[in-house]
Amino acid sequence: MSDQHFNPDNTDLDRLHGAVKREKADLPPGSEPAPMWVMFLGFIAAVLAGGQMGSFSGYGLESVPTYGAIQDPRSGGGPQVQLSPFELAMKKGETAYGTCNGCHQATGLGTPGAFPPLAGSDWATGGTERLIRVVLHGLSGQITVSGKPFTAPAPMPGWGATMTDDDIANALTYVRNSWGNKASMVTPDMVAKVRGTEKARSAAWTQAELEPYSKKDVAGDAPPAQ
Amino acid sequence: MTQFRKLVFGIAAAFAAPWLFLIVLPAIGYQTLGPIPYNKDKGDDLDSAYSFPLTVANLSGQTIYKKEGCVQCHTQVIRPAQIALDAWRRGAGQNQLENGPEPVRATVLRDFFGEKHAFLGVQRNGPDLTNAGYRFTNRMDVHMHLYAPRVKNPWSSAPSYAHLYKERTIQGQSAGKALPLKGTQYDPGHGREVIPTPDAELLVDYILSLKKDAPLPGSKSAVAAAKK
Amino acid sequence: MDPDTDSLRRAAIDRSVKGPVLFLFTNAAFWLMASTLMGFLAAAKLLKPDFIADCAFLTYGRMQPAHIAALVYGWGIQAALGVALWLMARRTANELKGGQGTLVALGVLWNVAVTYGIVSILAGNQTSIEWLEMPKAVWIVLGIILLVFCWRILSMAARTQRSEGFTITTWYLVGASLWIVWILWTAIALLGGNLELGAIGAGISAWYVHGLILLFFVPVGVGAAYYFIPKITGQPIHSAQLAQMGFWILAVIGGWTGMQRYLGGPLPAWMPAVGAMAGVLLMIPVGVVGINHHLTTLGQHKMVAASPTLRFTFIGALFYPVSGIILALISAFTTGVNLQFTHAWYGYQIVAVYGFFSMAAFGAIYYIVPRLAGCEWLSVRLIRNHFWFSVYGIGTIVVTSLVGGVQQGSSINDPLQWDQGFVNAVLSGQPYMAARCIAWALILWSNAWFLIHLLLMVAGLGRRSSAPTLLTHGHEEHLPEAANA
């Protein structure tokens, strides 16, 4: 190494020199062998580690885990109440009714002059043949709701294309048993039956067209409403 | 060989093994994976092949999901029923209310086909979203959760994504897609409404498309065989 | 070589790395402040999401990844590179021959890229890939800069000028330089292009995170500890055999871990299983290093109290086995299932990157900077302040994250809560988030003073003395060894 690197007159190096001077010399590491108990603890760790490799089969991308039988951990805890079909339909119907409450409101009262009420309405508690048809294809023109005339500025659209049989059935069960209404359940089978019968139809109904259905119920295994 | 070269060689040899077998080869192998066809003879009653999505997942919505960092609080993994409660939780799958006997299927590799990177999630500060499409019956529910999470769940720590929505004065009639915020803490005030931006609609499309519980090919016959 | 020439040689080496190393340390300290502030904000937003609700960049989904990115790329890698440069130069007796200006320029580019990356995350343009949330262009820039830095570090090792040059510290630093470049470029190649990888991509990102922790931050921290503990105490490392065992077991196992992050998840089942096995096996090298350091410092506790470097390194060496146990807990199947997707993961990242690596880095900085700046640290009180706030703060964050994680996980997996929403998981975590918030605020206070202290030193405004700044008073004349710290 040349003298230029180690010129003690260089003030920069001289300042650094102070801190460096007090450093201790490097020492080679001790030659103690690894203690036996380290090996022993390491062995325990290795056994624990190996235990992680047990639960799978295969090494490719299709490798699947192999856990034991499936056991429901929920038994013994949590509410075990099995809902009756009616209670279930009411619960699901409340959510499904969300599609309807934009116009008919969450209170079922509708908006006077715009959307007819469902609470206390004979359309809601009347024949399911009529009710299901209304929901599937829509309703237009002047109607009489519980004796009073009602004209909506725009027709009700049909929901057959966007709602499933399950949703329609649950929503209608909810409508027919809320806000003081009390009537029989509507099941998805019933909705499917009507849908099949009226497959050719796409236009909205009028009150006159639905008159023959107003007191008829769709045949089906509806458990009695409770 | 010098000490340095021996060291580098040793390090490289040791690291090359996991690099190759855990990372590179699986990544290459994944490119050759294809969908597994359903087989009516084996008891599957669906046509075509299994690969999610049966309907195309809304990937442009996934870009919004990615940008907002939803992974920090939401996962998209259902762990097997034997080791965790994910598959048994209410709302984890299609049956939102019933105390059904069957657990939801655990997520598998093919559930993420078509996704460039699976956003499996960092933490669960909120529920798992694997089957979130079943949890919401209509779009407004999702919008309300994104903009006004504490209306439905006052204890929720979800942020309000106000920048994905537009607040404006009501022009004439309230728009059909205005959020029902009247009387809540997020109420924009009299004569004003909040409507979603296109980004919010894309995100909602994505969340509603998350339904990763189509049965695996051969699973019905496997279950039947196990029951025998 | 006589002592005077040897001192001059070492001083010359110090001067040759002065520019790049001080530049890296200063920028890293700024980022540490930024990361601490963002950690505070993220914890606050998780606790009270409606706190300053109008700012999109403050949402937890953006603030949390920004906080971690600042900690890892802003503070962590820069501090590590600074420490590695100085350590490698000293160990191998190589001056950094030329290129200091290039390294500083690349350092500027690094900071520009990281700033752009973090601003992008906060502005809503992130990739949501863990520890790689910054835009992909940033990954490539960082990858290129790392290539240059690691090449310089490795070439110093290749040209070792002294027979004692090839010690355990050198091994760890060679390993760290090779591994980070290899791991980052793998991530760039596989995750940064157009390859569709689905769930395998998530597995690769988990491997990336573990790799960066175990094969970059840990080796640099351990390498520094293996240098400073014998240097300051004057005792040789207890066992060379243990040291070698520790290194090679880490080298062989470290690359296999990571995918157990998604155990039970959609990855091919053998991958998380292998990752879990590796995570548990890593207790061995961690324990071995811990034992080696403990046996070396036995009986030297007066010196641990006196020397700032030794104190920080010692506490880091205590956090290290803790991080190994936490990794084993989150990796093993039985415990991992309850800790998965909980705060425990954040606790692990903090204990590894802050509790172990950052403490070791602080110790190294307290030793290195006086030698580069030509003056001694100004205030004992500030160093003590920094030490205690950091220890208590990080300890709080780690403990609350673990305990909170256990609570969160048992709530998520509790059969009795199968039909309840996430009420309990969210509410039970709130006190822990409050503690995390307060802890980051306290650490922010101490980091602010650390930054000021460091800036004063870099400006040459430290104490002009040849006696070091020690943390205990009035004992120097009785403990000649302590004066050599």
Side-chain angles (χ1 to χ4, degrees):
Chain A
M1 301 180 208
S2 73
D3 284 331
Q4 284 157 317
H5 282 290
F6 299 101
N7 184 354
D9 292 333
N10 181 324
T11 44
D12 201 24
L13 213 48
D14 203 41
R15 275 202 303 166
L16 297 176
H17 197 183
V20 166
K21 234 175 153 175
R22 61 179 188 255
E23 288 173 24
K24 300 192 183 81
D26 285 328
L27 295 162
S31 47
E32 300 282 338
M36 201 34 104
W37 57 269
V38 168
M39 305 293 185
F40 183 66
L41 284 179
F43 181 69
I44 295 181
V47 168
L48 284 173
Q52 309 305 314
M53 289 289 283
S55 50
F56 67 91
S57 69
Y59 275 98
L61 285 173
E62 309 288 351
S63 170
V64 288
T66 55
Y67 303 116
I70 296 182
Q71 270 185 327
D72 191 336
R74 301 171 296 179
S75 47
Q80 286 301 300
V81 176
Q82 196 77 357
L83 293 171
S84 71
F86 175 73
E87 286 166 331
L88 196 56
M90 284 298 281
K91 264 202 159 177
K92 289 186 173 175
E94 186 178 0
T95 324
Y97 182 72
T99 312
C100 323
N101 68 7
C103 299
H104 291 289
Q105 305 305 325
T107 50
L109 293 173
T111 308
F115 311 115
L118 301 173
S121 159
D122 54 357
W123 281 74
T125 51
T128 50
E129 291 264 13
R130 175 169 71 170
L131 185 55
I132 294 175
R133 279 179 169 75
V134 166
V135 174
L136 282 178
H137 304 113
L139 186 59
S140 72
Q142 197 196 47
I143 58 172
T144 313
V145 181
S146 300
K148 299 206 194 80
F150 195 99
T151 312
M156 169 171 163
W159 298 92
T162 47
M163 282 177 82
T164 60
D165 292 347
D166 277 40
D167 281 340
I168 294 178
N170 291 329
L172 287 180
T173 304
Y174 178 76
V175 163
R176 285 160 71 76
N177 287 282
S178 298
W179 321 299
N181 289 356
K182 209 149 170 50
S184 60
M185 259 182 82
V186 175
T187 63
D189 285 336
M190 297 177 182
V191 177
K193 264 197 203 129
V194 175
R195 208 194 269 272
T197 314
E198 299 291 351
K199 216 172 13 191
R201 178 143 194 139
S202 57
W205 298 91
T206 61
Q207 173 159 323
E209 284 174 327
L210 286 173
E211 199 50 47
Y213 299 108
S214 62
K215 293 210 184 353
K216 279 160 79 183
D217 282 325
V218 181
D221 287 320
Q226 280 126 336
Chain B
M1 213 191 254
T2 65
Q3 274 208 302
F4 175 73
R5 282 198 200 138
K6 265 194 271 193
L7 179 66
V8 168
F9 187 71
I11 292 174
F15 190 70
W19 178 77
L20 200 59
F21 294 113
L22 201 60
I23 306 293
V24 173
L25 291 179
I28 295 176
Y30 186 83
Q31 309 307 311
T32 61
L33 274 190
I36 306 179
Y38 285 114
N39 191 339
K40 287 241 165 75
D41 298 332
K42 296 220 178 116
D44 297 326
D45 46 25
L46 283 172
D47 288 326
S48 78
Y50 171 72
S51 71
F52 176 83
L54 292 178
T55 57
V56 177
N58 190 303
L59 291 178
S60 18
Q62 194 183 51
T63 312
I64 315 289
Y65 185 90
K66 172 186 82 165
K67 286 183 171 188
E68 294 299 337
C70 305
V71 290
Q72 294 293 328
C73 295
H74 289 286
T75 57
Q76 287 185 26
V77 175
I78 302 230
R79 294 175 288 183
Q82 295 95 329
I83 63 169
L85 199 69
D86 302 0
W88 302 100
R89 288 192 83 94
R90 169 171 292 170
Q94 207 169 26
N95 283 326
Q96 290 294 309
L97 291 172
E98 284 165 7
N99 184 0
E102 300 296 319
V104 178
R105 172 170 75 69
T107 40
V108 295
L109 194 61
R110 285 180 166 75
D111 284 332
F112 299 94
F113 264 15
E115 297 180 39
K116 194 153 164 272
H117 186 96
F119 293 111
L120 298 184
V122 174
Q123 227 193 84
R124 278 188 180 155
N125 291 317
D128 183 80
L129 297 181
T130 309
N131 293 312
Y134 294 114
R135 202 173 296 147
F136 301 98
T137 40
N138 57 32
R139 302 179 68 86
M140 198 47 76
D141 283 344
V142 194
H143 282 303
M144 283 298 282
H145 175 67
L146 290 173
Y147 186 81
R150 275 163 282 287
V151 166
K152 184 151 179 260
N153 296 321
W155 43 263
S156 165
S157 61
S160 162
Y161 287 95
H163 56 276
L164 290 176
Y165 293 83
K166 227 179 357 189
E167 204 189 291
R168 65 172 191 191
T169 327
I170 298 180
Q171 288 137 0
Q173 269 217 318
S174 182
K177 48 184 187 163
L179 273 62
L181 296 168
K182 210 166 151 62
T184 69
Q185 67 195 100
Y186 303 92
D187 194 339
H190 184 69
R192 289 181 73 75
E193 61 179 5
V194 173
I195 57 168
T197 57
D199 276 353
E201 301 284 12
L202 282 177
L203 183 56
V204 169
D205 285 338
Y206 172 66
I207 293 174
L208 290 177
S209 75
L210 287 171
K211 293 178 180 172
K212 297 186 181 181
D213 66 341
L216 292 176
S219 56
K220 278 205 170 154
S221 51
V223 168
K227 281 195 181 143
K228 282 199 195 119
Chain C
M1 203 183 255
D2 67 280
D4 275 335
T5 326
D6 194 50
S7 299
L8 284 168
R9 172 186 63 80
R10 279 182 276 136
I13 292 174
D14 288 349
R15 192 182 53 161
S16 73
V17 294
K18 175 177 172 178
V21 172
L22 284 182
F23 179 84
L24 287 170
F25 283 167
T26 314
N27 281 286
F30 272 110
W31 278 113
L32 186 63
M33 281 266 298
S35 167
T36 312
L37 176 64
M38 289 195 269
F40 166 76
L41 288 171
K45 289 291 275 183
L46 193 55
L47 189 59
K48 287 233 166 307
D50 288 330
F51 168 63
I52 318 180
D54 289 334
C55 294
F57 65 87
L58 284 177
T59 55
Y60 180 77
R62 297 186 191 183
M63 190 54 77
Q64 180 77 345
H67 152 64
I68 294 185
L71 187 66
V72 170
Y73 299 99
W75 152 254
I77 298 187
Q78 286 199 95
L81 288 176
V83 169
L85 263 176
W86 184 88
L87 270 180
M88 190 61 94
R90 276 291 203 99
R91 257 279 156 254
T92 60
N94 274 317
E95 285 179 42
L96 193 67
K97 290 204 165 35
Q100 285 92 341
T102 315
L103 289 181
V104 171
L106 287 178
V108 170
L109 188 59
W110 178 278
N111 285 291
V112 166
V114 173
T115 308
Y116 170 75
I118 292 188
V119 166
S120 297
I121 298 176
L122 293 174
N125 182 21
Q126 60 163 305
T127 64
S128 269
I129 300 177
E130 265 199 285
W131 281 34
L132 285 168
E133 290 94 351
M134 298 188 286
K136 294 173 181 175
V138 174
W139 308 357
I140 297 178
V141 171
L142 299 187
I144 295 174
I145 298 175
L146 273 172
L147 269 174
V148 177
F149 271 93
C150 293
W151 176 261
R152 300 300 310 257
I153 294 173
L154 287 170
S155 52
M156 279 196 271
R159 292 179 290 111
T160 307
Q161 301 287 352
R162 50 206 282 250
S163 53
E164 321 95 314
F166 230 67
T167 59
I168 193 71
T169 300
T170 319
W171 291 15
Y172 275 108
L173 292 178
V174 166
S177 312
L178 277 174
W179 285 320
I180 189 176
V181 165
W182 199 332
I183 292 172
L184 179 56
W185 278 99
T186 305
I188 291 175
L190 293 176
L191 301 177
N194 280 323
L195 213 54
E196 182 195 306
L197 284 173
I200 301 276
I204 294 178
S205 93
W207 174 82
Y208 173 79
V209 174
H210 281 80
L212 218 57
I213 292 178
L214 293 162
L215 296 175
F216 180 71
F217 286 123
V218 157
V220 174
V222 170
Y226 267 122
Y227 179 84
F228 290 113
I229 291 179
K231 195 68 147 153
I232 297 176
T233 58
Q235 304 291 317
I237 295 287
H238 181 80
S239 165
Q241 192 185 41
L242 273 182
Q244 289 177 31
M245 260 175 68
F247 175 78
W248 282 111
I249 298 179
L250 177 68
V252 168
I253 297 177
W256 288 102
T257 192
M259 303 222 179
Q260 73 276 23
R261 175 107 174 75
Y262 296 115
L263 66 92
L267 292 169
W270 67 273
M271 293 180 177
V274 162
M277 179 177 78
V280 174
L281 268 178
L282 279 165
M283 279 199 293
I284 299 179
V286 168
V288 156
V289 167
I291 291 167
N292 218 358
H293 288 156
H294 171 67
L295 291 173
T296 308
T297 54
L298 263 184
Q300 303 294 328
H301 290 271
K302 278 206 198 86
M303 225 175 290
V304 173
S307 157
T309 300
L310 204 52
R311 248 202 219 191
F312 274 97
T313 309
F314 185 75
I315 210 80
L318 275 182
F319 268 114
Y320 184 46
V322 170
S323 79
I325 294 173
I326 296 179
L327 177 64
L329 282 174
I330 63 180
S331 301
F333 266 83
T334 36
T335 46
V337 161
N338 280 321
L339 291 175
Q340 212 181 2
F341 304 132
T342 65
H343 298 301
W345 172 239
Y346 180 74
Y348 174 67
Q349 293 173 80
I350 295 297
V351 80
V353 177
Y354 211 119
F356 169 58
F357 168 73
S358 298
M359 291 297 177
F362 289 142
I365 290 176
Y366 279 114
Y367 188 88
I368 297 173
V369 171
R371 280 151 184 80
L372 301 183
C375 45
E376 297 296 331
W377 294 96
L378 272 173
S379 161
V380 168
R381 180 164 298 168
L382 283 184
I383 303 180
R384 275 210 206 111
N385 175 310
H386 183 206
F387 179 75
W388 288 114
F389 272 103
S390 300
V391 169
Y392 281 128
I394 294 303
T396 305
I397 293 176
V398 172
V399 168
T400 54
S401 296
L402 260 185
V403 177
V406 169
Q407 281 216 302
Q408 192 184 10
S410 52
S411 179
I412 291 173
N413 276 327
D414 181 8
L416 291 174
Q417 295 182 38
W418 70 272
D419 63 342
Q420 283 154 36
F422 259 62
V423 188
N424 285 331
V426 172
L427 290 180
S428 68
Q430 284 184 343
Y432 302 105
M433 292 307 103
R436 186 191 289 184
C437 230
I438 296 172
W440 278 124
L442 291 174
I443 297 173
L444 183 63
W445 169 253
S446 89
N447 282 344
W449 285 109
F450 170 65
L451 175 64
I452 293 173
H453 208 182
L454 179 66
L455 287 175
L456 288 170
M457 287 290 282
V458 171
L461 296 173
R463 246 179 356 107
R464 298 270 169 212
S465 166
S466 59
T469 310
L470 294 177
L471 298 179
T472 52
H473 293 296
H475 291 285
E476 291 99 79
E477 58 271 31
H478 300 296
L479 285 175
E481 310 93 63
N484 292 332

